[in-house]
Amino acid sequence: MANSASGESIIRRFIRIISAFDDKHTSMSVAELSRRTGLPVTTTYRLVDELLLERLLERDSNGNIELGTRMWELASRGSKTQGLREAALPFMEDVQSVVQHSTTLGVLDSDEVLYIERLGSTSTIMDITKVAGRLPVHATSSGMVLLANSPSAYQDMILSRPLTKYTETTLTDPAALRRHLAEVRQRGFAAMPGVIVPESSGIAVPVYGPDNTVVAALSVVVPRDEENAAARVPLLMAAARGISRALGWRAKLKGTLRQSH
């Protein structure tokens, strides 16, 4: 039972089932799950039954399948992002209370920004960030901060790929991106007007871990037409410094945050 007739492992099929759920598909029938995963219906039924027995999947009030509470429990136990999120949340709440727009915390995962926390707002500006959501690294302020502070080999890999141009301000030219990344490293923050959603702008700063490397990006999403959006930077810098210290970062060993405030 280690592999299917197609050679795909049980774990691989398990991942396909779990990955079929997202914010737009929080519950579904087994038949729909089969369609979304591309697995045969009989295989999907069998795997779903096993996952239900382990409470990794559950049935909702309509009899459809949804992710189980035990899935969240097991994932939370070993998540390296849990401590980061807990350290950041008080500082994010302070930022949110002042800015009154979405405040996010993102980490680099593969070639995307994975958002591990988001404090929302009642603002009408379009903001597509969400907890456990992903956005392309080249088209967000958080992505620019993380990319700018990543190893050169990783930057080369990202910049060697075709990059999607979402709006007129999305940077996709490798040379232009390299210049922009150098500016982000020098000034210690990224401000990206309308690079993925025309109506909004992102402003992000780095968060440092105990080994003095950038482990996350703290950002806010504000209306693109907001006057003097850069005035948000000192507030973000102060919050990022607080998060970094909570994670064990020593300010005297790193100058970027200190110099900008």
Side-chain angles (χ1 to χ4, degrees), residues 26-144:
T26 57
S27 67
M28 65 191 84
S29 67
V30 176
E32 183 179 358
L33 190 55
S34 173
R35 289 193 296 271
R36 282 183 58 77
T37 59
L39 294 170
V41 174
T42 53
T43 300
T44 306
Y45 268 103
R46 177 171 56 79
L47 293 174
V48 165
D49 284 343
E50 293 179 13
L51 294 170
L52 287 170
L53 284 174
E54 297 298 330
R55 294 183 292 113
L56 298 177
L57 295 179
E58 297 174 355
R59 290 191 182 276
D60 64 16
S61 58
N62 295 318
N64 288 327
I65 305 300
E66 62 184 6
L67 293 178
T69 304
R70 192 175 182 224
M71 175 69 71
W72 170 84
E73 176 191 355
L74 294 176
S76 296
R77 287 181 189 175
S79 174
K80 64 181 180 180
T81 64
Q82 188 70 12
L84 174 57
R85 177 187 171 277
E86 291 175 353
L89 199 52
F91 299 96
M92 293 181 67
E93 290 171 345
D94 289 343
V95 172
Q96 174 70 13
S97 67
V98 175
V99 176
Q100 296 295 307
H101 291 296
S102 295
T103 305
T104 69
L105 186 70
V107 298
L108 197 60
D109 188 61
S110 186
D111 58 352
E112 297 174 306
V113 179
L114 172 64
Y115 291 92
I116 62 174
E117 186 55 87
R118 175 188 181 276
L119 300 183
S121 74
T122 57
S123 168
T124 58
I125 66 167
M126 186 175 294
D127 175 16
I128 59 176
T129 59
K130 54 184 178 292
V131 175
R134 294 172 178 268
L135 289 176
V137 70
H138 74 287
T140 64
S141 58
S142 292
M144 284 293 102

Side-chain angles (χ1 to χ4, degrees), residues 204-219:
V205 298
V207 173
Y208 292 91
D211 60 352
N212 296 297
T213 60
V214 174
V215 296
L218 177 68
S219 70

